[in-house]
């Protein structure tokens, strides 16, 4: 995951950072996997609408910000998203390197494999670090960026970086 291709802002409470869109897509797809492993009758009645919001973010990639206090989610829905993203991060950290073939089998959106933009593999730990950064953003625990005109950039190898 070396080159910078597309970035997407991840926002909460007026604070934000950049995320590599491929990593964010993998994270959200894994979060959906976490959610759908719970039988439908045990999920909250609004869960499918929230999961469809996540699918929409995956489809549009870097075209729109991923706003954790937008999307019309109430506190309960936002907490649900936080919990499935956190669990997705834990799973991805434990998975290690994910080859493009593995990703093509596991991460499907609208019947097609999620596009890894030519990567041979994705490091699950890098995507897990993005999940952790999302939680730190929500908790207002991200360290200050080293320069006033920069933002943190998560979801890339050798990260975080600044842009």
């Amino acid at each position: 995951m070396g080159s910078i291709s597309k970035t997407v802002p991840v926002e909460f409470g007026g604070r934000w950072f950049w995320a590599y869109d491929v990593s964010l897509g993998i994270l959200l797809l894994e979060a959906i996997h976490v959610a759908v492993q719970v039988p439908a009758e045990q999920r909250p009645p609004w869960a499918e609408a929230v999961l469809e919001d996540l699918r929409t973010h995956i489809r549009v990639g870097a075209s729109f910000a991923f706003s954790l206090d937008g999307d019309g989610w109430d506190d309960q829905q936002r907490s649900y998203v936080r919990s499935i993203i956190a669990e997705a991060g834990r799973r991805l950290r434990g998975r290690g390197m994910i080859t493009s073939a593995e990703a093509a089998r596991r991460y499907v959106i609208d019947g097609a494999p999620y596009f890894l933009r030519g990567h041979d593999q994705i490091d699950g730990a890098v995507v897990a670090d993005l999940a952790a950064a999302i939680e730190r953003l929500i908790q207002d625990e991200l360290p200050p960026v080293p320069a006033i005109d920069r933002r943190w950039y998560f979801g890339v190898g050798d990260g975080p970086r600044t842009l």
Side-chain angles (χ1 to χ4, degrees):
M1 297 182 62
S3 66
I4 297 173
S5 290
K6 296 212 178 205
T7 58
V8 59
V10 176
E11 303 174 343
F12 182 80
R15 299 174 308 277
W16 63 280
F17 62 76
W18 293 113
Y20 181 46
D21 65 331
V22 171
S23 294
L24 182 61
I26 292 292
L27 178 60
L28 296 181
L29 283 161
E30 185 66 28
I32 291 168
H33 276 268
V34 167
V36 300
Q37 287 179 337
V38 174
E41 61 275 2
Q42 293 177 19
R43 284 182 238 148
W46 40 258
E48 188 51 43
V50 169
L51 297 179
E52 187 55 32
D53 288 345
L54 296 180
R55 288 183 194 99
T56 297
H57 279 289
I58 296 161
R59 289 179 191 112
V60 301
S63 298
F64 294 106
F66 181 57
S67 178
L68 289 144
D69 51 2
D71 287 331
W73 294 334
D74 63 22
D75 288 342
Q76 194 175 24
Q77 292 164 319
R78 197 170 8 269
S79 177
Y80 177 72
V81 170
R82 285 173 69 183
S83 71
I84 62 174
I85 285 175
E87 178 59 25
R90 284 188 287 276
R91 290 180 183 191
L92 287 161
R93 188 168 308 284
R95 197 165 285 140
M97 297 304 275
I98 303 163
T99 67
S100 58
E102 290 171 304
R105 282 190 303 274
R106 182 164 180 83
Y107 302 117
V108 175
I109 184 87
D110 300 331
Y114 182 68
F115 183 55
L116 298 183
R117 202 174 294 118
H119 295 294
D120 293 329
Q121 58 189 11
I122 298 292
D123 187 347
V126 169
V127 182
D129 289 346
L130 173 58
I134 289 171
E135 186 59 28
R136 288 194 315 270
L137 174 71
I138 292 167
Q139 298 295 327
D140 195 19
E141 294 175 353
L142 285 176
V145 288
I148 210 86
D149 61 340
R150 299 293 209 173
R151 296 283 177 188
W152 287 114
Y153 182 43
F154 290 93
V156 291
D158 302 324
R161 302 179 192 167
T162 59
L163 285 183

